[in-house]
Amino acid sequence: PEATASPAPSHPPDLSNRIPKLVPRKRAPQRTPENAAAPPPTPPLRPPPHLTNHTYIRPQRRILSPADHQLFLKSETCTLVTAFVFTLSDSVCDRPVSSVKDSDLTPTVKTILSILSQAQSILERCPPEDTGSRFGNPVFRTFLDEVGKSLPSWHAQLGLADPSQVDEISTYLHNSFGNKRRIDYGSGHELNFFLWLLCLNRLSLLPPDTFPSLVLVVLPAYLRLMRAIQSAYYLEPAGSHGVWGLDDYQFLPFLFGASQLLHHKFITPKSIHSSLTLEEYSPEYLYLDQVSFVNSIKNVEGLRWHSPMLDDISSSRNWAKIESGMRKMFDKEILHKLPVMQHFLFGSLIPAVEGMSTEEEWGMGTEEEEDEGGEVKVFTDESGKRHVHASTGWGDCCGIKVPAAVGAEAEERKIGGAGRLRRVPFD
């Protein structure tokens, strides 16, 4: 048979016009130091004022409205508080706790440590009642009453004898242990402790050369005392949910602790997940010590579950970024938050701004007479009657009281819950 010729090969169709063109994907602009928000700088701390013929006044709340708050944020007092806290932080940059020796402690610093020790003795004399509740223990009020009775003698040990002077300064120390009526504690109370130290600085009792010892010796002593108080009386978190923040109670140990670790050679932000690192180095570094304490009181394992913000922060490139973020948090989450700053107390050494409201002007009682915190709103109705409204609860929640993590963990131990499933806590 004759062979048939094979057909000539056909060229493939041109499909180039049917293929979509590749368009480069638009990438989000990279955050660089140039376009990232810079951390608040450290303002210069002005020298103590001349107090000849000075008139002392009992501190009271003066931030009673958003307008008062704005006046404060633009004031020299706000700058003074920021300068004091940030200068304290700068003073411990790259310094472990052991860098401060006993010989470095001045008589005033030693007296402050003695006062905190005497407060510990009062705590031991006022044991909590076994109420079976995870919420605030009422004996805390007895503890604060006993502290109030001791304030004049404590300040006499500091060489302060003028009753009006002691009345002003001691108010800050008294408020640094928590709220008597609500049986709670938060970053505002912690700030009161440093306002007390600021008052002593204004009296020239705590010059700048004492600042490292205030952070690395006095603050740890205060934290140990407050942890004992929180554990004994189940102080509730003051206006915050610990699971969404750094900590149920404290903030400044994270700011100062980040400064301590700023250029550390081998402890990185991720090191907070290492139990061995925490065990070995928490006595030297406030940040690690606070993380270790938080781990010990939460009734669920892992920072990821009980402290997601701390977990997120641990992924930062270095401690400089964390320290920068802590400065921003102090500025935005404390000084710029009205629910926190409405409890700020103004006296003569930490003065209010002219034009700010007064408690007497609006017919308000003291803070201890209020049931709950919250944003204070002052207004005058059409008939000229003045009103003061304060929201109850936390504002961003349903208003349900939040038990302290220390209370939940301690009550679980009492009923033998050590082998139970460790559930994620509500707080």
Side-chain angles (χ1 to χ4, degrees):
E2 293 184 3
T4 58
S6 58
S10 60
H11 295 285
D14 184 8
L15 300 178
S16 61
N17 60 341
R18 302 171 69 177
I19 299 177
K21 293 183 178 180
L22 296 178
V23 179
R25 180 182 299 173
K26 292 183 178 180
R27 297 182 179 273
Q30 296 293 318
R31 292 182 61 85
T32 63
E34 289 75 23
N35 58 25
T42 302
L45 180 64
R46 62 175 185 264
H50 297 289
L51 299 175
T52 305
N53 300 322
H54 183 79
T55 301
Y56 295 93
I57 58 177
R58 184 174 181 80
Q60 66 169 232
R61 293 173 297 172
R62 301 291 299 275
I63 300 178
L64 305 180
S65 70
D68 295 331
H69 191 205
Q70 290 304 312
L71 285 173
F72 166 75
L73 293 174
K74 299 174 183 177
S75 69
E76 292 186 3
T77 298
C78 183
T79 302
L80 173 65
V81 173
T82 304
F84 183 65
V85 171
F86 286 178
T87 301
L88 286 173
S89 184
D90 292 341
S91 73
V92 297
C93 181
D94 297 326
R95 295 189 60 170
V97 169
S98 59
S99 66
V100 177
K101 310 300 181 183
D102 288 342
S103 57
D104 298 328
L105 305 182
T106 66
T108 299
V109 171
K110 292 179 179 179
T111 301
I112 293 172
L113 294 173
S114 175
I115 289 172
L116 295 176
S117 177
Q118 293 171 64
Q120 176 71 39
S121 299
I122 293 177
L123 170 62
E124 295 168 359
R125 297 199 305 268
C126 301
E129 297 175 354
D130 188 2
T131 62
S133 171
R134 298 181 299 166
F135 295 94
N137 195 289
V139 180
F140 176 64
R141 296 173 179 138
T142 304
F143 166 79
L144 281 185
D145 288 340
E146 293 301 311
V147 167
K149 295 175 185 177
S150 303
L151 290 173
S153 65
W154 288 351
H155 286 78
Q157 296 170 34
L158 290 167
L160 307 179
D162 182 347
S164 61
Q165 182 188 60
V166 171
D167 184 54
E168 174 175 343
I169 297 171
S170 65
T171 300
Y172 293 104
L173 179 60
H174 203 191
N175 279 273
S176 72
F177 296 115
N179 183 272
K180 180 178 180 180
R181 179 144 185 159
R182 298 189 297 271
I183 314 183
D184 66 10
Y185 178 94
S187 57
H189 301 104
E190 175 190 67
L191 181 59
N192 267 298
F193 183 74
F194 282 88
L195 294 179
W196 179 60
L197 298 179
L198 175 57
C199 286
L200 298 179
N201 169 263
R202 298 295 86 187
L203 297 179
S204 299
L205 293 176
L206 293 175
D209 61 1
T210 65
F211 287 3
S213 61
L214 295 183
V215 176
L216 302 181
V217 180
V218 172
L219 175 57
Y222 171 69
L223 291 175
R224 288 192 294 270
L225 172 61
M226 287 313 309
R227 289 169 184 173
I229 293 172
Q230 291 154 9
S231 300
Y233 302 124
Y234 298 175
L235 301 189
E236 297 165 26
S240 67
H241 298 287
V243 71
W244 301 122
L246 291 174
D247 180 80
D248 281 356
Y249 300 113
Q250 316 293 159
F251 170 76
L252 289 177
F254 295 102
L255 169 62
F256 299 149
S259 180
Q260 280 185 282
L261 292 163
L262 200 57
H263 303 103
H264 201 280
K265 293 181 179 179
F266 60 85
I267 297 179
T268 66
K270 289 186 181 297
S271 297
I272 66 172
H273 298 286
S274 167
S275 58
L276 291 178
T277 300
L278 293 179
E279 181 179 355
E280 184 170 358
Y281 293 101
S282 59
E284 290 282 21
Y285 297 99
L286 295 170
Y287 197 104
L288 304 183
D289 178 63
Q290 197 63 29
V291 170
S292 182
F293 178 70
V294 170
N295 281 335
S296 72
I297 64 171
K298 293 292 186 178
N299 57 0
V300 63
E301 297 284 359
L303 285 173
R304 177 184 176 186
W305 302 109
H306 62 67
S307 301
M309 183 179 287
L310 282 176
D311 183 63
D312 290 343
I313 292 173
S314 70
S315 64
S316 298
R317 295 190 304 273
N318 50 50
W319 289 107
K321 190 168 182 61
I322 294 180
E323 195 265 350
S324 170
M326 293 300 167
R327 284 176 173 252
K328 295 176 185 177
M329 285 188 68
F330 179 76
D331 184 56
K332 298 300 181 184
E333 301 301 323
I334 295 181
L335 297 181
H336 277 77
K337 283 298 176 70
L338 180 54
V340 175
M341 294 308 298
Q342 67 164 350
H343 304 290
F344 192 96
L345 300 174
F346 296 86
S348 66
L349 298 174
I350 305 176
V353 182
E354 184 178 354
M356 292 174 67
S357 306
T358 65
E359 293 175 341
E360 295 83 0
E361 178 183 356
W362 299 114
M364 297 176 62
T366 63
E367 183 176 2
E368 291 183 355
E369 297 171 357
E370 294 181 358
D371 290 330
E372 281 291 354
E375 184 173 329
V376 171
K377 295 182 180 179
V378 181
F379 67 94
T380 304
D381 63 18
E382 295 179 358
S383 62
K385 185 177 180 179
R386 290 170 177 169
H387 298 262
V388 179
H389 283 188
S391 60
T392 60
W394 286 270
D396 60 347
C397 188
C398 51
I400 298 174
K401 296 176 72 178
V402 177
V406 289
E409 192 268 344
E411 289 301 314
E412 186 74 7
R413 284 203 317 270
K414 286 182 182 178
I415 61 177
R420 298 184 182 182
L421 175 65
R422 307 187 80 190
R423 301 185 183 278
V424 177
F426 174 71
D427 65 324

